[in-house]
Amino acid sequence: MSYKSRAILIGVLSALFFAVTFVLNRSMSLDGGSWLWTASFRYYWMILLLLPILALRNELKPLCQHMRLHWWRWLLWSTVGFGIFYGGLTYASSFAPGWLLASTWQITIIAGVCLAPFLGNTHNKLSRNSILFSLLILLGVFIVQIPQAKAVSTAALLKSVVPITLAAFAYPLGNRKMMQLVDGQLSALQRLCGMTLASLPCWILLSATAIAQHDIPSGNLLFQTFLIALFSGVIATWLFFKATDLVRNDQKSLAAVEATQSTEVIFALIGEVLILHAVIPDPLSMLGIGIVILGMILHSRKS
């Protein structure tokens, strides 16, 4: 199996675990949980989970040394890649079902294509196929949004679409800038732990805002954010980082790996129907989801 095929398979597996985020965030939102606590506690739990693992692997000291040398870049790109990304994701979950957010989230694929020329990757240009398949995925996202646009107010739609779009650009930007900074010197797990630690000021700020609003997290929210931290924050993100690390010097393969995240739509939809008893999307939305998945398949096979 080639390194690209291996990276794509790992990417699909990470999408399965990432889908937990969309389902449980929606569940907590329906229960009245604050997005401020939902976002913050995912990363608090992740720190508690990751630090002992790195300590046992003797990987904590090299990480701390690297972070001290490049502290401001760790702080900046971790805030972008984790803070803006997940803050936008959890805020949007208050206004739309998880499967819809998972569909809109696929804008991150076209975001990765748009960002490539600005990240010093001009020596390894994307093919015309990569751009066309990314646009196909974007078309599917727009089709998915049509029924939703008819059913809700413009304000509610913007409150879900705008934060997700911002998050979709922030995640690949932060991830790619950190890959450039680390440049293979640290493992995917070290990079994950380092970005979690460096984004801590963002989560403390959100928590302080929640406390100022006299909002206290429930026991159910604490449990569900722990599950998100474990399955999505640690397992899924580590798998995704591992997949992108495998192809970090190949922009075409990197775009294909990022495209595997479109399978989150299927996993999130199944999860919401089974766990939250959500209504199955109408035929037009299903057509849009199908186009998104087709774009992902073409991306992974033909790019």
Side-chain angles (χ1 to χ4, degrees), residues 217-271:
S218 66
N220 185 50
L221 185 144
L222 293 176
F223 176 65
Q224 292 194 65
T225 51
F226 172 77
L227 294 179
I228 292 174
L230 177 61
F231 291 112
S232 183
V234 176
I235 298 175
T237 309
W238 172 66
L239 288 171
F240 183 70
F241 278 11
K242 189 174 183 64
T244 53
D245 275 347
L246 285 173
V247 294
R248 66 181 182 275
N249 296 317
D250 183 346
Q251 287 301 302
K252 296 177 184 178
S253 297
L254 184 57
V257 168
E258 289 176 341
T260 63
Q261 300 310 290
S262 60
T263 55
E264 292 169 7
V265 182
I266 298 176
F267 300 135
L269 176 58
I270 294 172

Side-chain angles (χ1 to χ4, degrees), residues 17 62 101 118 218 222 257 272:
F17 288 102
L101 297 183
F118 302 100
S218 66
L222 293 176
V257 168
E272 284 210 321

Side-chain angles (χ1 to χ4, degrees), residues 283-299:
L284 186 58
S285 293
M286 293 298 289
L287 173 63
I289 291 173
I291 292 174
V292 169
I293 301 304
L294 175 62
M296 186 280 293
I297 293 172
L298 291 173
H299 225 313

Side-chain angles (χ1 to χ4, degrees), residues 25-60:
N25 277 351
R26 183 58 175 172
S27 173
M28 287 182 283
S29 176
L30 293 173
D31 288 341
S34 170
W35 72 272
L36 297 167
W37 288 123
T38 300
S40 303
F41 267 101
R42 162 177 164 157
Y43 287 91
Y44 294 153
W45 285 123
M46 283 176 62
I47 290 172
L48 294 176
L49 290 168
L50 289 169
L51 285 178
I53 296 174
L54 259 66
L56 289 172
R57 291 162 57 109
N58 295 319
E59 292 182 347
L60 196 54

